[in-house]
Amino acid sequence: MDIFTTENGAVRGFRAADDVVAVLGIPYAAPPFGPNRFREPRPAAAWTGVRDGTLFGPVSPQSAELPGAPAWSPGDEDILTVNVWTPAPTPAPAPASTPVPARGGGRRLPVLVWIHGGAYTFGSSAQPDFDGTVLARAGLVVVTLNYRLGFEGFGHVPAGGATAYPDNRGLLDQVAALRWVRDNIAAFGGDPGNVTVAGQSSGAASAACLMVMDRARGLFHRAVLHSPASPCYTPETAAATTREIAAEAGCPATPEGLASMKPEALVDASDRVVDRYRRDPDAGSRHYDPTLYAPVLDGDVLPTDPLTGMTDGLTTDVDVLVCHTTEEYRLLDAVGSSAKITTEAQLARFARDFDLPDDLVAGCRTAMPDAPVLDVYLALYGDLLFGEYGNRLAERHAGAGGRAFLSRFDRRRTGPNGAVHAWHCADIPFAFGTLDDERLAFLIGGAPTAQDRELAARMVRAWADFAATGDPGWPAVGDDDPLRAHVWRTEESDSGDLPTIPRALWSEVPLPLLHP
C-alpha cells in the first residue's frame, strides 16, 4: 500500500490501477457543524498513525441520490474532504510503513483540481464521472473535493450581534481546499506552482467566481470551465430566500433560529420551496428550473460577478478554457427539472419572465422554423444560462488581455434507442475518460463506441496539455476571430450543424448577471 505524509498526518491510499494511486477522503478542513456551522472553514485536526484513504468521505447535506455515488445520511459531518489520484512510482512501492514524500522521481506534475456541479445543491466528488485515474495516467495529479451545498454552503445567515456569518461558505470551502493543495500536493508529486481549477455547471461557475476573489488569488493558474452557469444572487434575493426557507422550516430567520434546525430540516424545507416554484407558473423566472442557491455578490468574499471581473481585467493572470455542449438544456428536460413549455403563449411568457426582447424570440423562430416550441425553449434557455454566458466569459477575458480558449461538445447521433444528445454533463465522462463506466450510460446515450473512446482520448489529452502548458491544442480566442471554437465530434456524429440560435441575435441582449 502507498502511504503519503500530509501536514496533518499520514494517509494510506490504494492502487486504482497498476500505474495510478488513489487516496480518498482526506480532510482539508474541520467538520462544518456544531460551533463551526455557518462559519468560515476551520483547520482540520491532525491525527496520529496512518489514516485510511480507501473510501470517499461523506457528502454534503442534500436529498439527491445519484447513480454510483453515496447519499448523505443525517449525522454525516466530516464532509470537507479531498481525493487525490497520482501516477504510481515506476519502482516497486515502498513498504507500507514508509511514508512517501514525493512522486515522479522529483519531477513535479501539473495539478488539476475538480469542483463538481449540481446547482449548488447536490452532487459530490464521489460521482463515477469524476474518477481521476485516466487523467492521472495522462500525467496529472488530480484532486477532487466536497464542499458545503444548499443552505449550509450558500444560504444567507443574518448577522447576529457581534457574530458575522459569511455568505458564500461553499466558495470559502473551495478556497480552503486550494490552500490544502498548495501546502500538501507536493507530497503526492504535484506542483503547487502549476494548478488548474476545473469544474462543470455550478462547479465551473464556482471556478469563475474564484478567479475574481482576492482570497483565491495565486492559488491557481488556469481554469477549465465546462458549461458555466450564469447568474449570481444579490444580497436582497439571498435574504428573501432565507426568509422563505425559515418560514417553510418553521423557525425564525435569525442565526439562532436557523442554527436550531438540523441540516436535514433545511434540506427538506428547501425541497418544498423548490416544489412550490415548480408548480406555480406565476412564480416568474424561478418557475422554469428553480435554483434557490447561488454565489452571493456580497462585496466581501465575492466582490464582483465573474463576467464583470473579466471585462475589467481582474483575471488576466489566469488562462481559461471554456466549453459548452450544443444541447445543454435537453438533459434538464429529460430528467424533469425544467418546465415543459409547449405553446407559443408559454414561450412568450418565458421570454417576458427573463426580460428577453421580442426580436430575440422572433429571430429564434426564423432560425428554427420547423422546430417544436419545446425545442426553441430549450435552445433559448440553454444559451441564456450556459452557452452564451460561456462565450462571453471567453471573449471578455481575451478582450481584457487574458488567454482564453473556446470549445463546443457536439457529439450527437441517432442510436438504437433514439437520439443521443450533446446535452448538459455529457462531455464530462469524455474529458475524464470514464465513459466505459456503465453507471454513466444514461449521460452519454448508451454504451460507448470505439470512436467515442478515441474522442475521449483527445479530450483527456487537451485537458492534460492545458493543465501542463496552457495550450489545449487549438488557437486562442483573438480579435481576428472572436468566435473561434474547437468542436468535439466523432465521425459517427450526425452530420451538419444543429439548428441553433445565431449568436448575432444575442449581441444586444444583456445577460442576467445577477438575479434581482
Side-chain angles (χ1 to χ4, degrees):
M1 302 292 279
D2 293 86
I3 299 177
F4 301 80
T5 301
T6 73
E7 289 195 339
N8 283 338
V11 60
R12 177 185 294 110
F14 65 98
R15 292 297 173 110
D18 288 344
D19 52 352
V20 175
V21 178
V23 192
L24 310 180
I26 310 170
Y28 68 83
F33 299 100
N36 295 332
R37 196 175 183 199
F38 305 145
R39 305 291 187 97
E40 290 201 32
R42 300 291 199 257
W47 59 86
T48 58
V50 179
R51 183 184 179 97
D52 179 66
T54 60
L55 297 173
F56 289 106
V59 307
S60 183
Q62 59 189 278
S63 59
E65 297 183 6
L66 302 177
W72 178 72
S73 297
D76 287 349
E77 295 194 345
D78 200 2
I79 62 173
L80 300 183
T81 60
V82 294
N83 317 293
V84 182
W85 286 261
T86 185
T90 18
S97 60
T98 305
V100 180
R103 316 296 281 190
R107 183 176 68 88
R108 302 297 182 198
L109 298 175
V111 180
L112 185 135
V113 178
W114 176 253
I115 303 173
H116 71 80
Y120 307 102
T121 304
F122 62 89
S124 78
S125 62
Q127 292 170 232
D129 331 22
F130 312 146
D131 185 289
T133 301
V134 175
L135 285 168
R137 191 174 286 139
L140 302 180
V141 174
V142 179
V143 179
T144 66
L145 62 108
N146 288 344
Y147 57 100
R148 280 174 283 184
L149 302 169
F151 195 91
E152 301 297 324
F154 293 92
H156 173 74
V157 179
T163 304
Y165 300 92
D167 288 320
N168 301 306
R169 296 177 295 279
L171 296 180
L172 291 171
D173 293 344
Q174 295 164 17
V175 171
L178 287 170
R179 289 176 177 153
W180 184 93
V181 168
R182 178 195 63 195
D183 297 338
N184 293 279
I185 205 62
F188 300 85
D191 182 357
N194 190 7
V195 176
T196 296
V197 168
Q200 188 264 349
S201 195
S202 59
S206 293
C209 288
L210 292 171
M211 291 176 65
V212 300
M213 288 170 54
D214 291 338
R215 288 170 170 83
R217 191 81 54 200
L219 294 175
F220 63 100
H221 314 87
R222 301 184 182 96
V224 176
L225 313 177
H226 273 234
S227 304
S230 52
C232 299
Y233 281 164
T234 64
E236 293 77 17
T237 293
T241 298
T242 292
R243 291 192 292 272
E244 286 186 272
I245 299 302
E248 189 66 38
C251 70
T254 62
E256 298 77 16
L258 294 163
S260 72
M261 305 304 296
K262 294 181 178 180
E264 56 266 35
L266 296 183
V267 169
D268 291 344
S270 298
D271 287 348
R272 291 194 297 272
V273 171
V274 164
D275 184 62
R276 190 162 64 239
Y277 278 118
R278 286 196 202 285
R279 291 184 285 103
D280 182 7
D282 297 322
S285 62
R286 272 190 172 174
H287 163 64
Y288 299 92
D289 194 357
T291 300
L292 297 184
Y293 303 109
V296 179
L297 191 65
D298 62 345
D300 176 21
V301 175
L302 186 60
T304 187
D305 72 90
L307 190 56
T308 300
M310 290 187 182
T311 304
D312 293 344
L314 301 181
T315 62
T316 55
D317 58 334
V318 177
D319 298 335
V320 176
L321 170 58
V322 179
C323 182
H324 67 86
T325 70
T326 54
E327 299 179 286
E328 293 278 6
Y329 241 82
R330 284 277 178 191
L331 175 69
L332 290 309
D333 178 63
V335 300
S337 71
S338 174
K340 287 285 186 184
I341 302 302
T342 57
T343 70
E344 295 290 351
Q346 289 176 319
L347 183 64
R349 183 167 189 175
F350 165 79
R352 288 195 304 272
D353 284 339
F354 281 92
D355 294 323
L356 300 178
D358 294 339
D359 57 352
L360 174 63
V361 179
C364 292
R365 266 283 168 229
T366 302
M368 306 170 68
D370 302 320
V373 170
L374 179 63
D375 288 4
V376 177
Y377 159 71
L378 294 175
L380 269 171
Y381 210 177
D383 274 4
L384 178 68
L385 291 190
F386 301 113
E388 180 59 20
Y389 182 67
N391 288 336
R392 292 192 192 186
L393 286 176
E395 291 171 357
R396 301 289 175 82
H397 184 70
R403 278 180 18 112
F405 299 86
L406 192 59
S407 61
R408 289 194 296 270
F409 183 82
D410 192 36
R411 174 246 185 199
R412 297 171 288 113
R413 65 168 176 263
T414 302
N417 298 316
V420 174
H421 293 290
W423 58 22
H424 199 59
C425 300
D427 49 337
I428 300 307
F430 287 82
F432 269 86
T434 53
L435 68 167
D436 277 297
D437 191 310
E438 294 180 354
R439 295 168 294 183
L440 304 178
F442 171 73
L443 279 185
I444 67 170
T449 66
Q451 290 196 20
D452 287 336
R453 295 185 184 95
E454 189 274 333
L455 173 61
R458 285 188 281 130
M459 293 183 69
V460 166
R461 187 73 263 154
W463 268 25
D465 288 347
F466 180 74
T469 69
D471 183 356
W474 61 87
V477 173
D479 293 334
D480 59 324
D481 183 7
L483 303 183
R484 179 190 291 125
H486 184 80
V487 179
W488 296 112
R489 283 178 176 154
T490 71
E491 292 181 8
E492 298 169 327
S493 297
D494 288 349
S495 60
D497 289 330
L498 185 74
T500 54
I501 302 168
R503 276 211 70 205
L505 292 175
W506 286 104
S507 61
E508 302 300 322
V509 178
L511 294 183
L513 303 182
L514 298 171
H515 281 299

